[in-house]
Amino acid sequence: AQTVTQSQPEMSVQEAETVTLSCTYDTSESDYYLFWYKQPPSRQMILVIRQEAYKQQNATENRFSVNFQKAAKSFSLKISDSQLGDAAMYFCAFRGSGAGSYQLTFGKGTKLSVIP
Amino acid sequence: SAVISQKPSRDICQRGTSLTIQCQVDSQVTMMFWYRQQPGQSLTLIATANQGSEATYESGFVIDKFPISRPNLTFSTLTVSNMSPEDSSIYLCSVAGYHTDTQYFGPGTRLTVL
């Protein structure tokens, strides 16, 4: 079974600064998908970024980028130029690629605070 | 991505009663899922809602407690039956297309059981 570990329960960052959230995972699969979701107090889960394991290039979405280290099974999220609206819970998630592997396995989350 | 709505957005219920949560998508999707998020916790998959057949439940979740319907490709319901305070959680539906590896989530239903 896959496991996803987020070792930082809480993080804080100054507005306009950069912060990195950590995520490690454990799997025996060679092909899979990784995601970061954001959950603000409104509770809606919002997709931030996704990475396909067979792609070596790190995914980027505007101010959000990942550092995907497949051998180390690490998938960290970097938020640049942090904004007040970035304050939320961030969840790292894993999805296998095999037939029927639709389930998302989530980490416990990191609460990000943005300091004005 | 699809627009997903859930009803109700929140509810407060009495112990022993049941609540049905609706999930509506604005386009046809292949996969629909139901998750539970207990207070301060991460998300746990309850079941995959299958169109025209019984839902596929994850370990620890049973149909008698969480009956699910999916009459078509855009709609599903989750019922939380015979509720207890331990059922107080956020319940979220998510959707994905057949050739899509990404799940998109509805706004969630916050349930409080007294």
Side-chain angles (χ1 to χ4, degrees), chain B:
Chain B
S1 61
V3 176
I4 309 163
S5 59
Q6 282 187 235
K7 290 183 186 178
S9 61
R10 60 175 63 222
D11 207 341
I12 301 172
C13 300
Q14 295 297 317
R15 179 194 302 259
T17 63
S18 297
L19 176 72
T20 295
I21 302 168
Q22 299 179 2
C23 180
Q24 179 77 53
V25 191
D26 69 342
S27 59
Q28 292 187 347
V29 291
T30 306
M31 310 295 293
M32 294 184 79
F33 308 89
W34 287 98
Y35 288 82
R36 181 176 72 181
Q37 186 179 25
Q38 296 177 300
Q41 302 297 313
S42 186
L43 279 73
T44 301
L45 181 65
I46 297 171
T48 302
N50 301 310
Q51 195 258 330
S53 64
E54 192 172 287
T56 304
Y57 290 84
E58 297 300 311
S59 177
F61 297 96
V62 295
I63 188 171
D64 290 346
K65 176 67 175 176
F66 298 101
I68 288 171
S69 77
R70 190 178 172 193
N72 56 52
L73 292 176
T74 64
F75 184 78
S76 179
T77 66
L78 167 73
T79 299
V80 186
S81 303
N82 188 24
M83 288 183 286
S84 67
E86 292 71 35
D87 294 319
S88 298
S89 296
I90 297 171
Y91 292 87
L92 301 105
C93 70
S94 73
V95 305
Y98 186 77
H99 294 293
T100 304
D101 51 83
T102 303
Q103 291 184 29
Y104 296 94
F105 285 82
T109 296
R110 183 182 294 276
L111 170 62
T112 302
V113 184
L114 303 177

Side-chain angles (χ1 to χ4, degrees), chain A residues 6 33-35 37 39 41-47 50-52 54 89 91-92 95-96 100-109, chain B residues 4 8-10 31 33 35 37 40-45 48 58 90 92 94 97-98 100-110:
Chain A
Q6 293 179 249
Y33 303 92
L34 296 163
F35 306 88
Y37 285 89
Q39 187 179 40
S42 67
R43 75 178 172 268
Q44 173 139 27
M45 294 286 285
I46 302 166
L47 178 68
R50 61 187 282 276
Q51 174 81 41
E52 299 162 26
Y54 64 86
M89 285 291 292
F91 292 96
C92 178
R95 204 211 99 167
S101 297
Y102 303 113
Q103 179 176 356
L104 284 175
T105 301
F106 286 88
K108 293 185 179 298
Chain B
I4 309 163
S9 61
R10 60 175 63 222
M31 310 295 293
F33 308 89
Y35 288 82
Q37 186 179 25
Q41 302 297 313
S42 186
L43 279 73
T44 301
L45 181 65
T48 302
E58 297 300 311
I90 297 171
L92 301 105
S94 73
Y98 186 77
T100 304
D101 51 83
T102 303
Q103 291 184 29
Y104 296 94
F105 285 82
T109 296
R110 183 182 294 276

